[in-house]
Coordinates of all heavy atoms in Angstrom, one line a residue:
A555 N 2.1 -2.9 9.3 CA 1.5 -3.2 8.0 C 2.6 -3.9 7.1 O 3.8 -3.5 7.2 CB 1.0 -2.0 7.3
T556 N 2.1 -4.8 6.3 CA 3.1 -5.5 5.3 C 2.3 -5.8 4.0 O 1.1 -5.6 4.0 CB 3.5 -6.9 5.9 OG1 2.3 -7.7 6.1 CG2 4.3 -6.7 7.2
A557 N 3.0 -6.2 3.0 CA 2.4 -6.6 1.7 C 3.0 -8.0 1.4 O 4.2 -8.2 1.5 CB 2.7 -5.6 0.6
D558 N 2.1 -8.9 0.8 CA 2.5 -10.3 0.6 C 3.8 -10.4 -0.2 O 4.7 -11.1 0.2 CB 1.4 -11.1 0.0 CG 0.9 -10.5 -1.3 OD1 0.2 -9.5 -1.3 OD2 1.3 -11.0 -2.4
F559 N 3.9 -9.7 -1.3 CA 5.1 -10.0 -2.2 C 6.4 -9.4 -1.7 O 7.4 -9.6 -2.3 CB 4.8 -9.6 -3.7 CG 4.4 -8.1 -3.7 CD1 5.4 -7.2 -4.0 CD2 3.1 -7.7 -3.6 CE1 5.1 -5.8 -4.0 CE2 2.8 -6.3 -3.6 CZ 3.8 -5.4 -3.8
Q560 N 6.3 -8.6 -0.7 CA 7.5 -8.0 -0.1 C 7.9 -8.8 1.2 O 9.0 -8.6 1.7 CB 7.2 -6.5 0.3 CG 7.0 -5.7 -0.9 CD 6.5 -4.3 -0.5 OE1 5.4 -3.9 -0.6 NE2 7.5 -3.4 -0.1
H575 N 4.0 -9.4 -9.6 CA 5.3 -8.9 -9.1 C 6.4 -10.0 -9.1 O 7.6 -9.7 -8.9 CB 5.1 -8.5 -7.6 CG 4.6 -7.1 -7.5 ND1 5.3 -6.0 -7.7 CD2 3.3 -6.7 -7.1 CE1 4.5 -4.9 -7.5 NE2 3.3 -5.4 -7.2
R587 N 14.9 -1.6 -10.5 CA 14.4 -2.9 -10.7 C 13.7 -3.0 -12.1 O 13.2 -1.9 -12.6 CB 13.6 -3.5 -9.6 CG 12.4 -2.6 -9.2 CD 11.7 -3.0 -7.9 NE 11.8 -4.5 -7.6 CZ 11.0 -5.1 -6.8 NH1 10.1 -4.4 -6.1 NH2 11.0 -6.4 -6.6
S604 N 7.7 -0.8 -11.9 CA 7.5 -1.4 -10.6 C 6.0 -1.9 -10.5 O 5.8 -3.1 -10.2 CB 7.7 -0.3 -9.5 OG 7.4 -0.8 -8.2
F605 N 5.1 -1.0 -10.8 CA 3.7 -1.4 -10.6 C 3.1 -2.1 -11.7 O 2.1 -2.9 -11.5 CB 2.9 -0.1 -10.3 CG 3.0 0.4 -8.9 CD1 4.2 1.1 -8.6 CD2 2.0 0.2 -8.0 CE1 4.3 1.6 -7.3 CE2 2.2 0.7 -6.7 CZ 3.3 1.4 -6.4
R653 N -2.0 -5.4 9.8 CA -2.4 -5.2 8.4 C -1.5 -6.1 7.5 O -0.3 -5.9 7.5 CB -2.3 -3.8 8.0 CG -2.6 -3.6 6.5 CD -2.5 -2.2 6.0 NE -2.6 -2.2 4.6 CZ -1.9 -1.5 3.7 NH1 -0.9 -0.7 4.1 NH2 -2.1 -1.6 2.4
H698 N -3.0 -5.6 -3.0 CA -1.9 -4.7 -2.8 C -1.1 -4.6 -4.1 O -0.2 -5.3 -4.4 CB -1.0 -5.2 -1.7 CG -0.1 -4.1 -1.1 ND1 -0.1 -3.6 0.1 CD2 1.0 -3.5 -1.7 CE1 0.9 -2.8 0.3 NE2 1.6 -2.7 -0.8
D699 N -1.5 -3.7 -5.0 CA -0.8 -3.4 -6.3 C -0.5 -4.7 -7.1 O 0.6 -4.8 -7.7 CB 0.6 -2.8 -6.1 CG 0.6 -1.7 -5.0 OD1 -0.5 -1.1 -4.8 OD2 1.7 -1.4 -4.5
N743 N -4.7 -1.1 -2.3 CA -3.5 -0.4 -1.7 C -3.2 0.8 -2.7 O -3.2 0.6 -3.9 CB -2.3 -1.2 -1.6 CG -1.1 -0.5 -1.0 OD1 -1.2 -0.2 0.2 ND2 -0.1 -0.3 -1.7
E744 N -3.0 2.0 -2.1 CA -2.5 3.1 -2.9 C -3.1 3.2 -4.3 O -2.4 3.3 -5.3 CB -1.0 3.1 -3.0 CG -0.4 3.3 -1.6 CD 1.1 3.7 -1.5 OE1 1.8 3.5 -2.5 OE2 1.5 4.3 -0.5
A747 N -1.9 5.7 -7.0 CA -0.6 5.5 -7.6 C -0.8 5.1 -9.1 O 0.1 5.3 -9.9 CB 0.2 4.5 -6.9
F751 N 2.2 5.6 -11.7 CA 3.0 4.4 -12.1 C 2.3 3.5 -13.0 O 2.9 2.6 -13.6 CB 3.3 3.6 -10.8 CG 4.2 4.4 -9.9 CD1 3.8 4.7 -8.6 CD2 5.5 4.7 -10.2 CE1 4.6 5.4 -7.7 CE2 6.3 5.4 -9.4 CZ 5.9 5.8 -8.1
M794 N -6.8 2.3 0.4 CA -5.7 3.1 0.9 C -5.1 4.1 -0.2 O -5.0 3.7 -1.4 CB -4.6 2.1 1.3 CG -3.5 2.7 2.1 SD -2.2 3.3 1.1 CE -0.8 2.4 1.7
Y795 N -4.9 5.3 0.2 CA -4.3 6.3 -0.6 C -2.9 6.7 -0.3 O -2.6 6.8 0.9 CB -5.2 7.6 -0.6 CG -6.6 7.3 -1.0 CD1 -7.6 7.0 0.0 CD2 -7.0 7.3 -2.3 CE1 -8.9 6.7 -0.4 CE2 -8.3 7.0 -2.7 CZ -9.2 6.7 -1.7 OH -10.5 6.4 -2.1
A796 N -2.1 6.9 -1.3 CA -0.7 7.4 -1.0 C -0.8 8.9 -0.8 O -1.2 9.6 -1.7 CB 0.2 7.1 -2.2
S869 N -1.4 6.1 3.4 CA 0.0 6.0 3.8 C 0.5 7.4 3.8 O 0.1 8.3 3.1 CB 0.8 5.2 2.8 OG 0.8 5.8 1.6
Y870 N 1.4 7.6 4.8 CA 2.1 9.0 4.8 C 3.6 8.8 5.2 O 3.9 8.2 6.2 CB 1.4 9.9 5.8 CG 2.2 11.2 5.9 CD1 1.9 12.2 5.0 CD2 3.2 11.4 6.8 CE1 2.6 13.4 5.0 CE2 3.9 12.6 6.8 CZ 3.6 13.6 5.9 OH 4.4 14.8 5.9
Y871 N 4.5 9.1 4.3 CA 5.9 9.0 4.5 C 6.6 10.4 4.4 O 7.6 10.6 5.0 CB 6.5 8.1 3.4 CG 6.1 6.7 3.5 CD1 5.0 6.2 2.9 CD2 6.8 5.8 4.4 CE1 4.7 4.9 3.0 CE2 6.5 4.5 4.5 CZ 5.4 4.0 3.8 OH 5.0 2.7 3.9
W898 N 17.2 8.0 1.2 CA 16.5 7.8 -0.1 C 15.9 9.0 -0.6 O 15.1 9.0 -1.6 CB 15.5 6.6 0.0 CG 16.2 5.3 -0.2 CD1 16.4 4.6 -1.3 CD2 16.9 4.6 0.8 NE1 17.1 3.4 -1.1 CE2 17.5 3.4 0.2 CE3 17.2 4.8 2.2 CZ2 18.2 2.5 0.9 CZ3 17.9 3.8 2.9 CH2 18.5 2.7 2.2
W900 N 13.7 11.1 0.8 CA 12.3 11.3 1.1 C 12.3 12.4 2.2 O 12.8 12.1 3.3 CB 11.6 10.1 1.6 CG 11.4 9.0 0.5 CD1 12.0 8.9 -0.7 CD2 10.5 7.9 0.5 NE1 11.6 7.9 -1.4 CE2 10.6 7.2 -0.7 CE3 9.5 7.5 1.5 CZ2 9.9 6.1 -1.0 CZ3 8.8 6.3 1.1 CH2 9.0 5.7 -0.1
V925 N -2.5 3.7 7.7 CA -2.2 2.3 7.5 C -0.7 2.1 7.1 O -0.3 1.0 6.9 CB -3.2 1.6 6.7 CG1 -4.6 1.6 7.3 CG2 -3.2 2.2 5.3
E926 N 0.0 3.2 6.8 CA 1.5 3.1 6.6 C 2.1 4.4 7.0 O 1.7 5.4 6.6 CB 1.8 2.8 5.1 CG 1.6 1.4 4.7 CD 2.0 1.2 3.2 OE1 3.0 1.8 2.8 OE2 1.3 0.4 2.5
N927 N 3.2 4.2 7.7 CA 4.1 5.4 8.0 C 5.4 4.8 8.6 O 5.3 3.8 9.3 CB 3.4 6.3 9.1 CG 4.3 7.4 9.6 OD1 4.6 7.4 10.8 ND2 4.8 8.3 8.7
G928 N 6.5 5.3 8.2 CA 7.7 4.8 8.7 C 8.9 5.3 8.0 O 8.8 6.2 7.1
M929 N 10.1 4.9 8.4 CA 11.3 5.5 7.8 C 12.2 4.4 7.3 O 12.7 3.5 8.0 CB 12.1 6.2 8.9 CG 13.3 6.9 8.4 SD 14.3 7.4 9.8 CE 15.5 8.4 8.8
G930 N 12.5 4.4 6.0 CA 13.5 3.5 5.4 C 14.9 4.0 5.6 O 15.2 5.2 5.3
A931 N 15.7 3.2 6.3 CA 17.0 3.6 6.7 C 18.0 2.5 6.5 O 17.7 1.3 6.4 CB 17.0 4.1 8.1
W974 N 4.6 1.0 8.9 CA 5.3 0.2 7.9 C 6.8 0.1 8.2 O 7.4 1.1 8.4 CB 5.2 0.9 6.5 CG 5.8 0.0 5.4 CD1 7.0 0.1 4.9 CD2 5.1 -1.0 4.7 NE1 7.2 -0.9 4.0 CE2 6.0 -1.5 3.8 CE3 3.8 -1.5 4.7 CZ2 5.7 -2.5 2.9 CZ3 3.4 -2.5 3.8 CH2 4.4 -3.0 2.9
A975 N 7.3 -1.0 8.3 CA 6.8 -2.4 8.4 C 7.4 -3.0 9.6 O 8.6 -2.8 9.7 CB 7.2 -3.2 7.1
L979 N 11.5 -5.9 5.6 CA 11.1 -6.7 4.4 C 11.7 -6.0 3.2 O 12.4 -5.0 3.3 CB 9.6 -6.8 4.4 CG 8.7 -5.6 4.7 CD1 8.9 -4.4 3.8 CD2 7.2 -6.0 4.8
V980 N 11.3 -6.5 2.0 CA 11.9 -6.0 0.7 C 11.2 -4.7 0.3 O 10.0 -4.6 0.4 CB 11.7 -7.1 -0.4 CG1 12.2 -6.5 -1.7 CG2 12.3 -8.4 0.0
S981 N 12.0 -3.7 -0.1 CA 11.4 -2.4 -0.5 C 10.7 -2.6 -1.8 O 11.1 -3.3 -2.8 CB 12.6 -1.4 -0.7 OG 12.2 -0.4 -1.6
L982 N 9.5 -1.9 -1.9 CA 8.7 -2.0 -3.1 C 9.4 -1.3 -4.3 O 9.6 -1.8 -5.4 CB 7.3 -1.3 -2.9 CG 6.5 -1.1 -4.1 CD1 5.9 -2.4 -4.6 CD2 5.4 -0.1 -3.8
S983 N 9.8 0.0 -4.0 CA 10.3 0.8 -5.1 C 11.7 0.3 -5.6 O 12.0 0.4 -6.8 CB 10.4 2.3 -4.8 OG 11.2 2.5 -3.6
T984 N 12.6 -0.1 -4.8 CA 13.9 -0.4 -5.2 C 14.2 -1.9 -5.2 O 15.2 -2.4 -5.7 CB 15.0 0.3 -4.3 OG1 14.9 -0.2 -3.0 CG2 14.8 1.8 -4.4
G985 N 13.4 -2.7 -4.5 CA 13.6 -4.2 -4.5 C 14.7 -4.6 -3.7 O 15.2 -5.7 -3.7
E986 N 15.2 -3.7 -2.8 CA 16.4 -4.1 -2.0 C 16.0 -4.3 -0.5 O 14.9 -3.9 -0.1 CB 17.5 -3.0 -2.1 CG 17.0 -1.6 -1.6 CD 17.9 -0.5 -2.0 OE1 19.1 -0.6 -2.2 OE2 17.4 0.7 -2.0
K989 N 17.1 -1.0 2.4 CA 16.2 0.0 2.9 C 15.2 -0.6 3.9 O 14.2 -1.2 3.6 CB 15.4 0.6 1.7 CG 14.6 1.8 2.0 CD 13.8 2.3 0.7 CE 13.2 3.6 1.0 NZ 12.3 4.0 -0.1
R990 N 15.6 -0.5 5.2 CA 14.9 -1.2 6.2 C 14.0 -0.3 7.0 O 14.3 0.9 7.2 CB 15.9 -1.8 7.2 CG 16.7 -2.9 6.6 CD 17.8 -3.4 7.5 NE 18.6 -4.4 6.8 CZ 18.4 -5.7 6.8 NH1 17.4 -6.2 7.5 NH2 19.2 -6.6 6.2
Y991 N 12.8 -0.8 7.4 CA 11.8 -0.1 8.1 C 11.5 -0.6 9.5 O 10.9 0.1 10.3 CB 10.5 -0.1 7.3 CG 10.4 0.8 6.1 CD1 10.8 0.4 4.9 CD2 9.9 2.1 6.2 CE1 10.7 1.2 3.7 CE2 9.8 2.9 5.1 CZ 10.2 2.5 3.9 OH 10.2 3.3 2.8
Ligands
BG6_1476 C1 3.9 2.2 0.0 C2 3.6 0.8 -0.4 O1 3.9 2.9 -1.2 O2 5.2 2.5 0.4 C3 4.5 -0.3 0.2 O3 2.2 0.5 -0.1 C4 5.9 0.2 0.2 O4 4.3 -1.5 -0.5 C5 6.0 1.5 1.0 O5 6.8 -0.8 0.6 C6 7.4 2.0 1.2 O6 8.0 2.1 -0.1 P1 9.4 1.5 -0.4 O7 9.6 1.7 -1.8 O8 10.4 2.2 0.5 O9 9.3 0.0 0.0

Side-chain angles (χ1 to χ4, degrees):
T556 60
D558 56 283
F559 58 91
Q560 297 171 258
H575 280 283
R587 56 193 322 201
S604 177
F605 282 73
R653 174 185 172 220
H698 195 116
D699 318 338
N743 184 67
E744 296 197 337
F751 296 117
M794 193 271 235
Y795 300 94
S869 65
Y870 178 83
Y871 292 91
W898 276 263
W900 291 19
V925 298
E926 282 185 34
N927 172 243
M929 182 194 189
W974 185 271
L979 43 63
V980 178
S981 157
L982 170 75
S983 55
T984 64
E986 61 194 336
K989 189 179 190 188
R990 292 173 185 269
Y991 284 88

